Amino acid sequence: MADPLALIADRARAAMAVVDPDTADHDPVVRPSQHADVQVNAALAMAKRLGRPPRDVAADLVAALDIDDLCHPPEVAGPGFINLTVRDDVLAALLTDLEHPMRGVRPTDDPHTVVVDYSAPNVAKEMHVGHLRSTIIGDALARSLAFIGHDVVRQNHLGDWGTPFGMLIEQLIDSGVDPATATTAGTADTTAGLIADLNAFYRSARATFDDDPNFAERSRNRVVALQAGDPDSLRLWQLLVDTSKEYFSDAYRRLEVSLTEHDYAGESTYNDVLDDVVAELEAKGLLVVDDGALCAFPPGFTGRDDEPMPLIVRKADGGYGYAATDLAALRHRVRELGATELLYVVGAPQHDHLEMVFAVAGQAGWLDGGIDAEHVSFGSVLGEDGKMFRTRAGDTVRLAELVDEAVSRAAGLLDAKSTGLTADDAADVASAIGLGAVKYADLSSDRVKDYVFAWDRMLALTGNTAPYLQYAHARMCSILAKARPEDRQAATAQAVVIGEAAEHDLAMALLGFDAAVHACTHRRAPHRLCTYLYELATTYTAFYEACPVLRPDDPAVRRSRLALCALTATVLATGLDLLGIRAPERV
RNA sequence: GCCCUCGUAGCUCAGCUGGAUAGAGCACCCGACUUCUAAUCGGACGGUCGCAGGUUCGAAUCCUGCCGAGGGCGCCA
């Protein structure tokens, strides 16, 4: 355990048990402090229980506090805060934990099989900003949860089924694909060409559907045929799905997102179990027929006029909608994938729907045994005008264009700096910075709020941005590269000797990585990790300004400070990696 | 009409589940570059935490009611 706060919390609990045995299991309220390294606020709450002045209780706690081996003598301040400063030699000793692969982060004491549902783009539609947040936030959470020891199962719930496929298949036929012979292998090139611009393909299908009643009729019939298992329809549908999957995989590679084909589990995956899902729900008495549709009415959900709100499991025409698919997916994740936690990284507008799905699943007993399903909600991406982010023409912004612009803007930054990077390296670094900027902008503020998409802010070289963190990291690496080889060799955590205040502060910051990662995972809040990394970087630059690393004559000082640089670079890079962001050694 | 989310400096955002004088960045102003990468750092300025009550030793944080913004409310996903 590397986190001084956690060590102090244990001691504080022991002291509380001495002063008031009934509070042994209470929170000692150990917090970072502006007035010391750490403050213990337990006395204030205890004073109320005991009916005594808080400062007296604080004094008793201090008397009972066995902490000399960790901290300087405690001080009672204000109404009863206990201020603690961690000893420099203790900090130095704790830093050795950061040289292990977990960087001082404790594995979770409650490991789960966590299914993370994220990204979920639609087949035959181009990915756009709407998919950006789910993909980026979901990926960061999946990486972070896996890091602390959860068994993470990524699930990409592709929109690969439903009514739009009628018109998409008809559009394919009208474009010259022969339903009888079309196969993925034989026509892959043709198909890829036909729907190279997925947005245009979808839009033209939509337009024809709206303008041409004959086409619309064919489309509707095609849906029926597809759902009935008609071989020609299935073949064409498969063509669309395969083409899109290749496109998605390219997009994820480009975005450096950890999703692969292995994680694809589209809606169609559940087609053959929908009957069984309905049968099980029916057997448990959870379904009633209402207006011809088979509905569940989980308690606590009302719509207009206080009417109970239905979750429509089977439509009046006998077809299945997304509620059925979502229920089937949930059951599959619990029963087949062994999920004990289910995370749905889905936009806020679907909140009610998901809560209803969870409620029905709970009634069905699928969440028994403490299995937890949670909607990891997020707000919209807004333009700088405060409205939904769109192009000037009013279209949705394509993900590919977004990435291109991010990378080219980042390349512009590098050009302006005229670094000594080779062209290949510069392109790679530009990609890391551009993608990092976009991802970090998305991750660094509270996900439940809407966020404003602004190139200038996310690519800013100052403030809480990825480029700033990446630059700070590169400077650390640069110092390490310039150090004498024998110093670099000796610059391990064991070599750290803390003397300066800036060194003390940096060590404290480094040891906070554990708490930051757990805040990120427990609260599904990547922005907590971002805030931590930014504070680590600013603490480092204060150290960098105050403490020359390579210049001191004393090799022990050089090696100690070099070790602090190396540890900071490692923690920063590890943290960014958990967010899905690279930290190049040079920029 | 009902339900959900949000409202913190001019702007963009934090605020660690109730603790000390509410913190950063941007912008504006002042200061520091023959640099360990100045893509930086230090300082100044800037707040009735939407409004009004309530809970208590103590509220941006919890409760109630308003105001404002966005979203949802039967066979699309």
Side-chain angles (χ1 to χ4, degrees):
Chain A
M1 189 192 304
D3 184 359
L5 270 70
L7 295 169
I8 289 167
D10 287 346
R11 306 299 178 85
R13 260 187 292 270
M16 288 165 69
V18 171
V19 174
D20 178 7
D22 294 341
T23 61
D25 58 342
H26 285 42
D27 180 5
V29 202
V30 176
R31 298 285 135 83
S33 174
Q34 296 171 17
H35 308 277
D37 287 336
V38 181
Q39 62 186 52
V40 181
N41 303 338
L44 295 121
M46 289 174 72
K48 189 177 176 186
R49 266 182 55 83
L50 298 170
R52 299 177 48 205
R55 281 193 71 101
D56 290 0
V57 176
D60 287 358
L61 276 176
V62 167
L65 195 58
D66 176 18
I67 204 155
D68 292 352
D69 59 325
L70 296 178
C71 297
H72 295 292
E75 291 172 8
V76 177
F81 303 107
I82 299 169
N83 289 342
L84 293 169
T85 302
V86 183
R87 280 167 32 186
D88 287 339
D89 60 317
V90 172
L91 288 178
L94 290 172
L95 287 176
T96 58
D97 275 7
L98 300 187
E99 291 188 330
H100 298 125
M102 291 294 286
R103 309 301 168 202
V105 176
R106 287 170 289 176
T108 177
D109 55 10
D110 186 21
H112 282 275
T113 297
V114 187
V115 167
V116 185
D117 178 320
Y118 68 105
S119 198
N122 295 316
V123 161
K125 277 179 115 169
E126 190 123 26
M127 293 181 73
H128 55 85
V129 286
H131 303 109
L132 193 63
R133 300 210 74 189
S134 176
T135 305
I136 291 171
I137 294 167
D139 207 46
L141 287 176
R143 289 168 188 258
S144 302
L145 289 162
F147 184 72
I148 64 167
H150 292 291
D151 184 8
V152 171
V153 182
R154 292 163 171 81
Q155 289 284 279
N156 194 352
H157 197 69
L158 302 175
D160 65 355
W161 199 250
T163 47
F165 283 93
M167 68 179 192
L168 292 167
I169 290 171
E170 289 303 326
Q171 175 76 7
L172 212 50
I173 292 170
D174 287 1
S175 304
V177 176
D178 180 357
T181 60
T183 61
T184 309
T187 61
D189 291 346
T190 321
T191 311
L194 280 175
I195 56 177
D197 185 342
L198 291 164
N199 277 347
F201 183 80
Y202 193 95
R203 261 204 306 270
S204 79
R206 180 84 235 174
T208 315
F209 184 90
D210 290 340
D211 295 345
D212 180 354
N214 183 40
F215 182 87
E217 181 62 22
R218 279 163 51 204
S219 298
R220 276 188 281 271
N221 293 336
R222 182 61 70 178
V223 175
V224 175
L226 177 65
Q227 301 197 331
D230 167 56
D232 283 0
S233 302
L234 279 171
R235 201 174 299 122
L236 293 167
W237 166 79
Q238 191 67 51
L239 205 56
L240 288 165
V241 171
D242 290 346
T243 306
S244 278
K245 281 183 176 174
E246 280 178 40
Y247 160 77
F248 295 145
S249 294
D250 273 351
Y252 295 133
R253 262 195 297 277
R254 188 88 196 289
L255 267 176
E256 297 175 16
V257 161
S258 65
L259 283 169
T260 67
E261 284 111 79
H262 177 74
D263 310 309
Y264 293 169
E267 296 173 309
S268 67
T269 313
Y270 307 102
N271 283 348
D272 52 4
V273 296
L274 295 178
D275 287 338
D276 186 60
V277 166
V278 169
E280 184 179 344
L281 293 173
E282 229 165 1
K284 288 176 173 165
L286 296 172
L287 301 180
V288 297
V289 177
D290 199 85
D291 284 348
L294 206 49
C295 303
F297 287 92
F301 294 89
T302 54
R304 295 181 202 279
D305 308 323
D306 274 354
E307 299 280 323
M309 193 155 55
L311 185 69
I312 297 172
V313 177
R314 195 173 64 204
K315 298 183 286 182
D317 67 4
Y320 291 112
Y322 66 112
T325 317
D326 285 343
L327 285 164
L330 189 152
R331 195 183 73 167
H332 175 259
R333 289 164 185 185
V334 171
R335 288 196 186 157
E336 264 67 56
L337 302 179
T340 54
E341 272 186 0
L342 299 113
L343 264 38
Y344 289 75
V345 187
V346 176
Q350 291 205 49
H351 182 75
D352 289 351
H353 165 70
L354 285 171
E355 290 301 324
M356 290 180 78
V357 168
F358 299 161
V360 172
Q363 288 181 303
W366 298 340
L367 298 174
D368 286 354
I371 298 173
D372 186 48
E374 181 180 339
H375 177 207
V376 180
S377 173
F378 54 83
S380 309
V381 181
L382 305 180
E384 295 189 67
D385 57 0
K387 298 181 179 160
M388 294 295 284
F389 187 52
R390 293 185 186 284
T391 63
R392 254 177 308 205
D395 297 323
T396 55
V397 180
R398 297 167 52 217
L399 202 58
E401 286 173 4
L402 206 74
V403 171
D404 285 346
E405 181 157 4
V407 173
S408 76
R409 281 176 181 258
L413 290 175
L414 289 172
D415 284 349
K417 182 82 196 310
S418 68
T419 57
L421 295 168
T422 66
D424 280 357
D425 286 348
D428 185 58
V429 169
S431 174
I433 291 178
L435 291 173
V438 170
K439 290 184 181 182
Y440 195 85
D442 203 319
L443 293 169
S444 60
S445 67
D446 190 344
R447 62 175 163 75
V448 306
K449 298 188 188 178
D450 294 345
Y451 101 92
V452 177
F453 192 98
W455 287 116
D456 290 344
R457 260 199 305 279
M458 67 180 70
L459 281 158
L461 309 161
T462 57
N464 190 11
T465 67
Y468 173 81
L469 296 180
Q470 288 166 322
Y471 174 63
H473 176 263
R475 287 210 297 182
M476 296 166 201
C477 293
S478 172
I479 288 188
L480 288 164
K482 283 194 174 149
R484 307 171 202 203
E486 64 272 25
D487 280 357
R488 195 161 50 235
Q489 184 76 21
T492 64
Q494 284 77 14
V496 173
V497 178
I498 292 168
E500 298 294 321
E503 295 171 327
H504 178 98
D505 292 346
L506 180 56
M508 277 298 295
L510 284 166
L511 295 169
F513 187 49
D514 173 39
V517 172
H518 280 94
C520 171
T521 53
H522 279 145
R523 312 243 319 239
R524 291 73 160 100
H527 82 282
R528 289 298 189 83
L529 182 52
C530 293
T531 302
Y532 165 79
L533 293 175
Y534 178 59
E535 283 172 1
L536 175 64
T538 54
T539 305
Y540 171 81
T541 48
F543 158 82
Y544 177 88
E545 297 290 325
C547 301
V549 176
L550 302 179
R551 292 197 279 253
D553 293 329
D554 183 349
V557 173
R558 290 199 307 268
R559 290 163 189 179
S560 170
R561 290 178 179 173
L562 210 50
L564 286 170
C565 288
L567 289 169
T568 308
T570 302
V571 169
L572 199 46
T574 304
L576 286 171
D577 181 60
L578 294 183
L579 299 172
I581 297 170
R582 278 193 287 143
E585 295 191 1
R586 297 181 60 196
V587 298

